[in-house]
């Protein structure tokens, strides 16, 4: 039913997240991947086979594979996933890091955290809970919410696993109808075209190996697709962005006094002898030394550092630099105090336009006020409302923010690191929202 393009193999680690509504089978799917790729030790299998909270009742399934990721006692007691669980496995073709995201609406914040670091999103749909008597078939609200978040976070590769097909006798017509609803959702949200798989995570059909029970399906298994997927780097600016994380000072005499500025190069590159600008002060300096971390608290001097490198810098001049400053190329001095952003509201208390929040952007924290809520996204109807003036828990919308101090920021589509932020309640210190910058004033 779906056109699967065979992509060339690319070595390297693939990070993916499973998301979707509660009880769609996300933890079971990951457990199946771990089990069928021999990534589970025998003592682990023995331990989960004896657990008193096993959820499996099907005669075909020997153990509750969801317990391989649900590590918290509360998760096992309630039969739900609460926190993001990261697991690692490898095949002969590729290494994988997988995040199992919670499906419950109240844990949306954990899903946002996991998805922000992923290359691929696997959205699960419980085929038994899709309303089939509408045109198109009606997907669950939480499925739409997670799809919306995946869109806002800019993930380029999306797979949809239509799960629990064993409970529907592996019916091709039902899969086709659900596929049309998924394609309609993707079109409405302007998502990248999803690749859709019929699966049974509990029984293992079409997860790691093809299944004869899907004799009408001609595409690859989910794992085969993941192994062959060629990942392109997310869009990123090419100029230097280096948020200062820490200032290191070595006490001593004036002749051997050392002051280093530590941080991770988020984009671009930095070279020894290069002239740079420190924002927001606008001071310029020349890079004297670059030390790059090579693990175990060791570092070595290098002539150049690239995006992703964790480094310590020293300058030829005596300049005033502190945590929260941004080191950029010498011709960039652009700062802003006004931004437009998409917000995922995560707090039980609604957004208030009359109060200030703390905005944490890279290593800097400034006071911010929501000037206006310009749009609120309705995950039920997939429409946008402009008449509402707040966001409630797990709401998604677009806002205008005014900052107390200027920051050096980019649009999220241009840079994940410098285009994202979180809002924090000053009184409770709770993270109340995750934000992605749309426009900079």
């Amino acid at each position: 039913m779906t056109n699967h393009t065979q992509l060339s193999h690319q070595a390297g680690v693939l990070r993916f997240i499973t998301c979707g509504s509660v009880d769609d089978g996300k933890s079971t799917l990951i457990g199946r991947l771990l089990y069928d790729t021999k990534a589970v030790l025998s003592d682990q299998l023995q331990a989960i086979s004896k657990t008193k909270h096993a959820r499996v009742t099907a005669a075909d399934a020997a153990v509750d594979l969801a317990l391989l990721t649900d590590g918290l006692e509360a998760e096992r007691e309630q039969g739900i996933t609460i926190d993001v669980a990261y697991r690692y496995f490898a095949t002969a073709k590729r290494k994988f890091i997988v995040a199992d995201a919670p499906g419950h609406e109240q844990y949306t914040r954990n899903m946002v955290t996991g998805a922000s670091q992923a290359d691929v999103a696997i959205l699960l749909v419980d085929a038994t809970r899709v309303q089939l008597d509408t045109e198109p078939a009606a997907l669950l609200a939480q499925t739409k919410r997670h799809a919306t978040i995946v869109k806002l976070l800019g993930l380029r590769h999306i797979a949809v696993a239509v799960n629990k097909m064993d409970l529907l006798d592996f019916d091709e017509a039902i899969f086709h109808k659900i596929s049309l609803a998924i394609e309609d959702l993707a079109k409405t949200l302007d998502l990248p075209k999803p690749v859709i798989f019929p699966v049974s995570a509990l029984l293992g059909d079409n997860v790691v190996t093809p299944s004869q029970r899907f004799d009408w399906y001609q595409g690859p298994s989910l794992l085969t697709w993941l192994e062959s997927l060629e990942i392109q780097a997310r869009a990123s600016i090419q100029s230097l962005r280096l948020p200062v994380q820490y200032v290191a000072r070595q006490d001593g005499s004036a002749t051997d006094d050392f002051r280093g500025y530590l941080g991770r190069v988020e984009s671009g590159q930095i070279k020894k002898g290069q002239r740079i600008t420190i924002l927001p002060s606008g001071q310029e300096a020349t890079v004297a030394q670059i030390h790059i971390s090579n693990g175990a608290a060791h570092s070595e001097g290098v002539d150049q550092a690239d995006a992703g490198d964790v480094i310590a810098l020293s300058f030829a001049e005596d300049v005033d630099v502190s945590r929260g400053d941004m080191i950029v190329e010498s011709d960039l001095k652009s700062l802003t105090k006004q931004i437009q952003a998409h917000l995922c509201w995560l707090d039980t208390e609604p957004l208030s336009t009359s109060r200030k929040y703390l905005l944490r952007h890279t290593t800097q924290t400034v006071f911010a006020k929501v000037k206006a809520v310009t749009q609120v996204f309705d995950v039920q109807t997939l429409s946008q409302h402009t008449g509402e003036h707040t966001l409630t828990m797990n709401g998604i919308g677009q806002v205008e923010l005014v900052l107390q101090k200027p920051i050096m920021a980019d649009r999220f589509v241009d840079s994940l690191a410098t285009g994202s932020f979180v809002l924090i309640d000053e009184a409770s210190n709770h993270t109340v929202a995750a934000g992605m910058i749309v426009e900079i004033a």
Side-chain angles (χ1 to χ4, degrees):
M1 308 305 305
T2 305
N3 180 26
H4 297 273
T5 302
Q6 189 68 27
L7 298 171
S8 61
H9 169 69
Q10 181 186 44
V13 177
L14 179 72
R15 294 173 174 83
F16 68 92
I17 184 171
T18 58
C19 51
S21 188
V22 64
D23 289 334
D24 280 350
K26 297 177 292 297
S27 297
T28 302
L29 179 76
I30 296 176
R32 174 59 63 185
L33 286 168
L34 297 173
Y35 183 81
D36 285 0
T37 57
K38 314 299 182 186
V40 185
L41 300 176
S42 58
D43 58 341
Q44 287 179 286
L45 283 176
Q46 187 176 15
I48 66 171
S49 66
K50 295 179 179 179
T51 180
K52 63 181 179 180
H53 303 305
R55 286 163 271 178
V56 169
T57 57
D60 304 46
V63 294
D64 184 356
L65 295 175
L67 295 177
L68 291 171
T69 58
D70 289 346
L72 300 178
E73 183 66 15
E75 294 178 322
R76 299 189 178 199
E77 288 176 347
Q78 299 178 54
I80 63 173
T81 299
I82 296 173
D83 200 4
V84 179
Y86 293 92
R87 293 293 180 267
Y88 309 86
F89 70 99
T91 67
K93 295 183 178 180
R94 192 168 225 163
K95 295 179 180 178
F96 298 92
I97 302 175
V98 52
D100 181 18
H104 272 269
E105 184 175 344
Q106 70 191 88
Y107 303 120
T108 299
R109 68 174 64 220
N110 296 350
M111 182 268 167
V112 174
T113 301
S116 66
Q117 303 300 319
D119 301 309
V120 180
I122 299 178
L123 183 66
L124 270 84
V125 173
D126 182 344
T128 67
R129 293 196 293 164
V130 176
Q131 188 176 340
L132 298 173
D133 57 356
T134 61
E135 290 295 339
L139 303 171
L140 295 175
Q142 188 69 342
T143 302
K144 298 176 184 178
R145 178 178 285 106
H146 280 198
T148 303
I149 294 171
V150 165
K151 163 63 178 177
L152 295 182
L153 290 173
L155 273 71
R156 295 182 175 182
H157 302 280
I158 302 170
V160 179
V162 180
N163 193 24
K164 304 186 183 181
M165 290 296 296
D166 53 299
L167 300 180
L168 298 171
D169 297 324
F170 306 92
D171 191 301
E172 179 183 7
I174 292 177
F175 173 73
H176 177 60
K177 189 171 180 65
I178 295 173
S179 296
L180 292 177
I182 293 166
E183 290 169 356
D184 183 71
L185 173 65
K187 184 178 180 180
T188 302
L189 294 176
D190 194 26
L191 282 166
K193 186 175 182 180
V195 183
I196 307 172
F197 300 86
V199 303
S200 169
L202 182 64
L203 305 183
D205 294 271
N206 206 37
V207 178
V208 172
T209 55
S211 170
Q212 293 182 351
R213 289 182 280 206
F214 290 122
D215 55 358
W216 43 266
Y217 172 77
Q218 303 302 316
S221 69
L222 178 61
L223 180 63
T224 299
W225 180 77
L226 289 171
E227 285 179 326
S228 62
L229 187 63
E230 184 175 351
I231 296 298
Q232 298 176 346
R234 292 197 190 191
S236 181
I237 51 177
Q238 300 301 310
S239 56
L240 174 65
R241 301 288 188 273
L242 174 56
V244 177
Q245 177 77 26
Y246 181 73
V247 179
R249 180 76 181 269
Q250 176 181 327
D251 294 328
S253 65
T255 57
D256 62 4
D257 189 20
F258 173 81
R259 187 182 288 110
Y261 308 101
L262 283 65
R264 187 176 75 170
V265 182
E266 297 294 355
S267 65
Q269 58 183 212
I270 189 167
K271 298 179 180 179
K272 191 174 179 179
Q274 179 179 345
R275 289 289 289 178
I276 58 87
T277 295
I278 301 145
L279 296 177
S281 68
Q283 301 172 90
E284 292 194 6
T286 304
V287 178
Q289 298 179 55
I290 304 174
H291 291 271
I292 189 167
S293 173
N294 56 12
H298 298 295
S299 64
E300 58 181 324
V302 296
D303 292 331
Q304 175 180 310
D306 300 303
D309 289 338
V310 178
I311 65 173
L313 293 176
S314 65
F315 298 123
E317 299 85 357
D318 187 10
V319 289
D320 182 14
V321 184
S322 58
R323 174 181 167 83
D325 288 348
M326 182 83 72
I327 296 173
V328 298
E329 294 174 1
S330 59
D331 59 347
L332 179 65
K333 299 184 180 180
S334 177
L335 296 168
T336 184
K337 292 178 68 175
Q338 297 185 47
I339 58 176
Q340 294 183 34
H342 287 129
L343 276 191
C344 296
W345 194 256
L346 307 172
D347 197 37
T348 53
E349 292 292 326
L351 179 153
S352 172
T353 56
S354 63
R355 61 179 301 185
K356 289 183 178 180
Y357 297 96
L358 291 172
L359 182 143
R360 185 163 295 164
H361 173 261
T362 62
T363 60
Q364 185 178 32
T365 302
V366 300
F367 279 106
K369 186 176 181 179
V370 180
K371 181 180 178 181
V373 178
T374 55
Q375 290 181 341
V376 176
F377 195 84
D378 187 333
V379 297
Q380 289 281 6
T381 63
L382 301 180
S383 60
Q384 296 179 355
H385 303 296
T386 56
E388 300 182 39
H389 304 291
T390 187
L391 291 173
T392 55
M393 187 174 181
N394 299 316
I396 299 171
Q398 185 166 319
V399 301
E400 293 181 7
L401 287 160
V402 179
L403 314 182
Q404 187 181 49
K405 297 179 181 179
I407 64 171
M408 212 310 297
D410 297 291
R411 298 186 308 160
F412 185 77
V413 295
D414 298 324
S415 173
L416 186 151
T418 55
S420 59
F421 62 89
V422 294
L423 291 182
I424 299 168
D425 184 287
E426 183 186 16
S428 65
N429 205 35
H430 290 166
T431 300
V432 297
M436 289 73 71
I437 297 173
V438 178
E439 294 293 341
I440 301 167

